[in-house]
Amino acid sequence: MTIGISRLATLMLAASFTTASCSSNAKPGDKYNTTGRPEETTVTTQAPVTDNTRIQVAILLDTSNSMDGLIEQAKSRLWNIINTLTTLKYNGKTPTLEIALYEYGNDGLSSERNYIRQVTPLTTDLDLISEKLFALRTNGGLEYCGAVIQDAVRQLEWGNNNSDMKLVYIAGNEPFDQGNIHYKEAISSAVAKKIYINTIFCGNRREGVATHWKDGADKGKGKYFNIDSDRKVRFIETPYDARIEDCDRRLNDTYIGYGTMGASKKAAQGRQDENAKSVSKANYTERAVTKSKAAYKNSNWDLVDKVSEEGEVAFETIEKAQLPGEYKDKSKEEVKQIVALKTRERKAIQKEIEVLSKKRQAYIDEQLKNSPDEDDLGNAITSSILEIAKVNGYIQAHN
């Protein structure tokens, strides 16, 4: 991360899980696109908590041929963006965080769907967002901004509480008014639902204004940015990164996968660690900081999180057959004791990361004093999040 954002753990509550399709307008039998990739994917998402304020963010990325740099910036800034979102409070409470991902402008997608794919619905599963983001591939096409905004507004399960903050970020480099669905119509529907439309043009600022990207943000009551999508994200490594990395390895050992998803989701956790590490050591550190926070909840597959949410009643709902092999021959009391130990270990490690991350951020802030950060996708999103949050009564909580 390269901007000065302090860290504060957030609380995320979730009571049940639903299975949602990644494309609400899929046709029977239409399962694969011309690239051989699935056109629609069924994913398990955590159901929103109806009595809790939510921050909902939909990221719409142009995946045409010229946008490889944009995808790389998104990979590089995902955990930075999430860590910024987790600093926000509303009336002293920490909101539930949900993120959705769309791709558009890709020739490998269906022309009948305007070359658009909902990659994930709004979800609290942060590892899923990372997995799908790293799987994106570019393939030149037609970029219909109005159509993808309309899909996001209509398809996603947006909150209805007045306190909910609902944000759309669309990034691309072609004229904003292409396609049969006009952006003004789509944005009007968004504004009616109190969804802010923020636009990020990949190119010269004046060109973005001339091709209606700024007008889209103005009409969507959001922010307009222009970025150089080919610029490599600047990372600042710190003396604390190696210690946080060690904490993260120990943190992973506290997870106990259960049920049909336990083993696969625990393996996926490790893969997303490696994906973050493949970008840079600093990016991996950002992910480790996210994993130390309450926003990183995995109660649908991790027994420690499930017991933390539900209490000991969780042990009554899980059969021995659902436990990993090394736990199947243990009594319920023995499993309880192991979970209690893992819970204590996790809390201690998370606290250690919290302390180290404060020192890390102070180091980064000092480095940036005489060398301001450069504009990229992540900085555009994080700066606008804080500005819009302030207008809507959210406070950035500093540790």
Side-chain angles (χ1 to χ4, degrees):
M1 172 184 171
T2 61
I3 65 172
I5 305 293
S6 63
R7 310 295 188 231
L8 181 71
T10 62
L11 174 66
M12 180 176 291
L13 300 175
S16 61
F17 303 90
T18 60
T19 300
S21 170
C22 283
S23 180
S24 64
N25 58 354
K27 301 186 297 297
D30 188 2
K31 295 182 179 180
Y32 295 91
N33 59 44
T34 57
T35 66
R37 292 186 299 154
E39 186 69 24
E40 64 173 312
T41 306
T42 299
V43 297
T44 301
T45 62
Q46 221 165 300
V49 180
T50 56
D51 61 350
N52 194 42
T53 296
R54 283 179 280 173
I55 297 176
Q56 299 177 304
V57 181
I59 302 174
L60 322 180
L61 297 177
D62 177 354
T63 57
S64 61
N65 270 343
S66 56
M67 291 288 97
D68 291 284
L70 175 67
I71 305 308
E72 289 305 310
Q73 286 191 10
K75 294 175 185 177
S76 301
R77 287 300 198 183
L78 173 64
W79 303 109
N80 170 218
I81 293 167
I82 290 171
N83 284 333
T84 299
L85 289 164
T86 62
T87 66
L88 299 176
K89 282 185 173 288
Y90 187 85
N91 287 341
K93 295 182 179 180
T94 50
T96 296
L97 172 60
E98 298 176 348
I99 299 177
L101 183 62
Y102 278 76
E103 65 168 322
Y104 73 101
N106 191 311
D107 272 351
L109 305 177
S110 168
S111 60
E112 293 181 10
R113 298 176 194 169
N114 291 310
Y115 306 101
I116 296 167
R117 181 170 72 103
Q118 184 192 86
V119 182
T120 76
L122 285 164
T123 178
T124 59
D125 189 338
L126 302 181
D127 282 352
L128 176 67
I129 294 293
S130 176
E131 175 188 335
K132 298 299 183 181
L133 178 59
F134 273 82
L136 291 180
R137 299 292 182 269
T138 58
N139 185 23
L142 300 172
E143 296 100 300
Y144 299 148
C145 295
V148 70
I149 291 172
Q150 178 177 275
D151 277 9
V153 171
R154 290 182 177 181
Q155 294 174 358
L156 297 175
E157 294 184 9
W158 297 101
N160 295 314
N161 292 344
N162 288 331
S163 57
D164 292 337
M165 187 165 70
K166 296 168 284 190
L167 309 171
V168 167
Y169 289 90
I170 178 169
N173 70 338
E174 291 293 325
F176 203 69
D177 59 351
Q178 294 185 120
N180 294 326
I181 299 169
H182 202 280
Y183 72 87
K184 292 181 181 179
E185 178 184 347
I187 290 175
S188 177
S189 298
V191 171
K193 291 185 176 184
K194 299 182 179 178
I195 301 170
Y196 291 84
I197 305 297
N198 303 274
T199 65
I200 303 169
F201 179 67
C202 302
N204 178 273
R205 183 172 183 82
R206 289 185 179 179
E207 183 182 353
V209 172
T211 54
H212 310 292
W213 283 80
K214 184 178 185 301
D215 188 53
D218 291 342
K219 286 185 167 52
K221 302 185 183 299
K223 303 297 176 183
Y224 163 67
F225 301 89
N226 74 292
I227 64 171
D228 178 357
S229 59
D230 292 325
R231 175 182 290 157
K232 296 293 184 182
V233 171
R234 174 189 173 201
F235 292 101
I236 297 178
E237 295 188 7
T238 81
Y240 308 99
D241 294 352
R243 293 166 64 186
I244 293 175
E245 182 176 349
D246 177 68
C247 288
D248 187 64
R249 285 193 293 266
R250 290 186 281 122
L251 189 67
N252 284 353
D253 289 337
T254 68
Y255 283 83
I256 303 174
Y258 74 89
T260 57
M261 294 189 298
S264 62
K265 294 295 282 185
K266 187 171 172 62
Q269 181 187 61
R271 286 196 301 273
Q272 299 324 304
D273 287 345
E274 292 303 314
N275 275 338
K277 196 178 298 184
S278 71
V279 174
S280 75
K281 180 179 288 189
N283 185 57
Y284 172 54
T285 304
E286 285 286 342
R287 171 170 161 80
V289 171
T290 298
K291 288 166 66 179
S292 74
K293 301 181 179 185
Y296 185 76
K297 280 291 186 184
N298 298 287
S299 55
N300 59 334
W301 66 268
D302 169 51
L303 189 55
V304 174
D305 274 349
K306 184 175 178 66
V307 173
S308 177
E309 277 191 6
E310 300 177 8
E312 292 207 356
V313 69
F315 293 107
E316 306 301 324
T317 62
I318 296 178
E319 300 176 359
K320 274 196 173 184
Q322 294 180 289
L323 295 174
E326 64 268 31
Y327 292 88
K328 284 187 169 71
D329 61 346
K330 298 186 183 299
S331 68
K332 183 181 294 185
E333 286 305 314
E334 287 176 318
V335 174
K336 285 183 179 180
Q337 290 174 10
I338 294 171
V339 170
L341 175 61
K342 294 292 187 183
T343 300
R344 290 193 297 271
E345 289 178 355
R346 185 178 299 180
K347 288 181 178 179
I349 297 167
Q350 288 173 331
K351 183 64 178 177
E352 189 176 350
I353 295 176
E354 180 185 349
V355 172
L356 289 170
S357 67
K358 289 179 185 178
K359 295 178 180 180
R360 175 179 181 268
Q361 191 57 47
Y363 181 93
I364 291 172
D365 292 344
E366 186 65 29
Q367 296 297 309
L368 290 174
K369 278 184 178 179
N370 300 317
S371 179
D373 209 3
E374 300 170 331
D375 288 337
D376 60 35
L377 179 71
N379 286 337
I381 292 177
T382 53
S383 62
S384 63
I385 283 171
L386 296 176
E387 192 171 340
I388 295 172
K390 186 176 181 180
V391 172
N392 284 272
Y394 286 75
I395 295 175
Q396 187 186 8
H398 296 274
N399 287 339

